[in-house]
Amino acid sequence: MILPLLLAGACAEPDVCTPMCEAAASLYGGCLRDWGADWEAAAYTDEADFLDACTTWAWEMKQLERDADEIGATDETCEEREAAFADENATCDAFTGIDWHNPPWEEL
């Protein structure tokens, strides 16, 4: 009975990476439109699929950062990227210039 309560508590806490994923979807989606492409050209079914992949990336990085003893690196990276993606002067390079395979703590 404790496990469902713990999971419910974890889901209730807002994730700082969700706004980053939303800003990334907005910026990258605009880039795709500008390039005459769609989400499928970027290997996603649609924007919702991209958002799912992005939030999964954030969740995975948070699991890995615990093992690397780098707690907080993912949240910090998400906050920085959200600001960059949401900037009114952001270009497509703000998104495409990121190596999403590098763990956030290797970027700090």
Side-chain angles (χ1 to χ4, degrees):
M1 189 61 148
I2 292 175
L3 184 57
L5 292 175
L6 290 174
L7 290 175
C11 292
E13 187 175 317
D15 182 21
V16 299
C17 291
T18 299
M20 183 268 306
C21 290
E22 292 167 350
S26 178
L27 176 63
Y28 192 43
C31 294
L32 291 171
R33 282 188 298 280
D34 290 348
W35 299 330
D38 60 15
W39 286 107
E40 288 183 357
Y44 300 99
T45 305
D46 52 22
E47 183 175 316
D49 187 35
F50 172 85
L51 288 167
D52 184 54
C54 184
T55 56
T56 299
W57 171 87
W59 179 85
E60 289 174 345
M61 291 301 107
K62 288 180 183 192
Q63 303 311 304
L64 293 171
E65 78 180 10
R66 282 187 240 166
D67 292 340
D69 198 28
E70 296 288 345
I71 303 300
T74 301
D75 285 349
E76 184 178 330
T77 297
C78 287
E79 290 170 343
E80 291 171 359
R81 289 180 181 176
E82 177 193 0
F85 298 156
D87 185 301
E88 65 182 42
N89 297 315
T91 65
C92 297
D93 290 341
F95 180 84
T96 60
I98 293 173
D99 183 352
W100 291 88
H101 295 97
N102 271 344
W105 52 93
E106 290 184 3
E107 296 177 9
L108 299 174

